[in-house]
Amino acid sequence: MPFGRQSKDDPRLLIIIDALDEAEHNLKNELLECIAARDFKDGLRPWCALLVTSRPEKVVRNTLKYLNTLELDTESHKEENEKDVQDFLKFIFERAGVSEETLENNVDIAAGHAKGNFLYLYWLRKRVEEQAAQGQTIDVSSMPRGLSEEYEDQMKKRIMPNGLSGDGRAVLEAVIGAAEPVHLEEQLPALTGLSLGQCKKIMDDFAELFTVREDNRIYDFHKSIVDWLIAEAPFNDRKKLHPIEDYVIDLTVCHRRLACAGAKMILPRISATEFSSDASAVEALRDVIDSVSGGESGNAKRADFGGEENGDVAMAYALRWTCHHLCSDAKHATAASLLSSLTFLDLRLVHHNYHPWSEALHDCDAVVAASAGTSSTASSMPFVRDMKLLRDALLLSSNDV
């Protein structure tokens, strides 16, 4: 029921938003921005309250810190959280037939492994239920000790026992680095250079960690699996581990792979023109493609990758996000050359008119902002001025298209 039609005599309304930190889509968390907006806060009626759950990420805390909120964090409520853990463990162990003699010991061991993390308890419950279904004795001491070991165990024993390499690595790099959920059939083959059959087989192997939903796009089961793979907080201690043997993915390499994939799709579309701006972009894109080793798995294997066989959905991704991936790989000048290509802009803004002009303006700003974070001087980056001029030209032209 719309808020405006809610009667003052109606009971109090509580809106619950779970996992706000995971609501990001297309590099934006519009739900977070909506909650933080003054109009949203002022529009809430006295009888309406908002309950939000989220991991304590900086972007969430900084965005919401100006609201009059009551924060319930795990440290301040450690005793209550530990009691919830104990009650949950007791429930699943009793249902699995753990004897009274070993129940308390199993609960204590599992609670120590969990450290208050209910996502770990989700995986633990699945393991306990599997052992119980097979008539095995429940042995918590042999199970992974914490969420990091849980993901490592799944990788080693169930998915990729020989390490994260080859086509499996290519797929994960594409899925993790992508700026939007990747379409399994329409985009993943184009972004990896693998056949659709190969992509489906690999995604079947990763089905418990990365799910394909009804829209046929790939979503991570939980953001923590991505953080574990790229060694981000709270898994920072994994950064120095071996990338293949210990399943560590470099996010910069993900962007490099996707920038190369986009370059291969865009290149045939802009290489047959007489515009000098296109010629400059063609040269820059060829450098991007050449910079990716020919011995790598995935798109390097397919000689025809990037040709006309890629569909509209894959091309739409390339047109929209290649500049983003180039900037994320510190190739600001290449992104500027691509944005300056008349044919590229025509493809992106006219023929693929579902890309708003605002996105091209955002890319211009992103190139300038990314360049500002480097040690180079303005004189060594003339494209910064070009991007500012291009942005002005796009802004003036957008009203006439």
Side-chain angles (χ1 to χ4, degrees):
M1 178 184 295
F3 288 165
R5 292 168 55 190
Q6 189 94 1
S7 168
K8 65 180 181 180
D9 297 325
D10 287 332
R12 185 167 174 79
L13 178 67
L14 177 65
I15 302 174
I16 301 176
I17 299 176
D18 186 32
L20 179 61
D21 57 304
E22 297 190 45
E24 183 177 289
H25 183 69
N26 292 358
L27 304 183
K28 296 179 181 179
N29 194 328
E30 294 182 348
L31 183 58
L32 174 61
E33 294 173 0
C34 174
I35 294 172
R38 182 173 179 177
D39 291 345
F40 180 84
K41 178 184 176 183
D42 294 344
L44 283 179
R45 304 299 177 88
W47 39 260
C48 182
L50 190 66
L51 173 63
V52 175
T53 70
S54 171
R55 293 190 298 174
E57 295 190 350
K58 284 185 178 180
V59 63
V60 176
R61 285 189 164 183
N62 290 341
T63 304
L64 300 182
K65 66 182 179 181
Y66 300 105
L67 300 180
N68 183 24
T69 61
L70 173 63
E71 185 174 340
L72 304 176
D73 62 90
T74 54
E75 287 301 318
S76 301
H77 298 79
K78 191 173 182 179
E79 291 185 5
E80 294 97 321
N81 190 45
E82 288 180 351
K83 184 179 184 305
D84 288 342
V85 170
Q86 297 273 340
D87 290 343
F88 178 79
L89 287 169
K90 185 177 180 181
F91 170 76
I92 64 172
F93 286 143
E94 287 180 340
R95 192 171 65 173
V98 174
S99 65
E100 292 186 6
E101 292 78 12
T102 62
L103 179 63
E104 184 176 349
N105 184 53
N106 276 316
V107 168
D108 289 342
I109 293 174
H113 292 171
K115 295 182 174 62
N117 190 311
F118 268 81
L119 181 58
Y120 169 78
L121 294 179
Y122 164 84
W123 295 111
L124 179 71
R125 182 183 67 179
K126 293 192 69 171
R127 289 178 178 272
V128 169
E129 289 174 348
E130 287 176 3
Q131 289 187 355
Q134 296 170 7
Q136 300 176 6
T137 301
I138 307 302
D139 182 14
V140 178
S141 61
S142 65
M143 295 182 184
R145 298 169 297 177
L147 192 58
S148 183
E149 285 195 14
E150 172 63 41
Y151 289 145
E152 182 180 4
D153 187 76
Q154 289 199 38
M155 283 288 189
K156 286 185 175 179
K157 293 184 179 179
R158 305 187 182 190
I159 303 175
M160 302 188 74
N162 298 320
L164 186 56
S165 61
D167 294 342
R169 189 178 193 89
V171 166
L172 282 190
E173 285 177 351
V175 170
I176 290 174
E180 63 185 38
V182 175
H183 195 285
L184 173 61
E185 297 181 358
E186 301 289 343
Q187 291 178 333
L188 190 58
L191 295 177
T192 60
L194 302 172
S195 69
L196 177 58
Q198 288 174 301
C199 290
K200 286 184 174 181
K201 170 63 171 62
I202 292 169
M203 290 315 305
D204 285 343
D205 292 339
F206 287 111
E208 286 204 330
L209 301 179
F210 293 89
T211 59
V212 180
R213 297 184 185 172
E214 293 181 356
D215 60 0
N216 220 11
R217 290 183 179 271
I218 302 167
Y219 299 82
D220 51 83
F221 168 76
H222 192 270
K223 191 173 181 292
S224 61
I225 179 58
V226 175
D227 292 338
W228 183 80
L229 285 166
I230 65 175
E232 290 292 330
F235 308 107
N236 312 66
D237 57 337
R238 286 175 36 80
K239 284 188 180 295
K240 296 182 179 180
L241 298 180
H242 194 278
I244 295 178
E245 295 177 2
D246 298 304
Y247 310 91
V248 180
I249 289 178
D250 186 340
L251 193 55
T252 300
V253 175
C254 298
H255 288 298
R256 187 171 302 143
R257 170 180 292 280
L258 292 166
C260 179
K264 288 186 175 182
M265 281 187 273
I266 294 169
L267 188 59
R269 310 295 181 97
I270 67 173
S271 59
T273 73
E274 297 179 356
F275 297 125
S276 59
S277 62
D278 290 350
S280 176
V282 165
E283 182 179 355
L285 292 181
R286 282 175 176 162
D287 288 342
V288 170
I289 296 169
D290 292 342
S291 69
V292 176
S293 170
E296 291 188 4
S297 62
N299 56 39
K301 290 182 177 180
R302 267 180 57 187
D304 64 341
F305 174 64
E308 296 296 327
E309 80 286 351
N310 291 298
D312 288 342
V313 179
M315 178 56 67
Y317 184 93
L319 292 172
R320 182 174 184 181
W321 295 114
T322 297
C323 290
H324 159 72
H325 293 304
L326 288 168
C327 286
S328 298
D329 191 25
K331 292 183 173 63
H332 316 117
T334 304
S337 294
L338 184 56
L339 282 168
S340 300
S341 163
L342 290 178
T343 302
F344 173 75
L345 289 176
D346 181 59
L347 286 167
R348 179 167 178 173
L349 302 176
V350 180
H351 295 292
H352 289 266
N353 55 14
Y354 40 84
H355 292 299
W357 283 74
S358 59
E359 294 174 1
L361 296 175
H362 177 269
D363 277 352
C364 293
D365 292 337
V367 171
V368 174
S371 303
T374 68
S375 57
S376 304
T377 62
S379 60
S380 66
M381 294 187 295
F383 60 83
V384 171
R385 184 185 64 179
D386 294 343
M387 287 298 96
K388 292 179 179 179
L389 292 173
L390 176 60
R391 189 191 193 285
D392 291 342
L394 290 172
L395 194 59
L396 290 171
S397 302
S398 60
N399 294 328
D400 297 325
V401 176

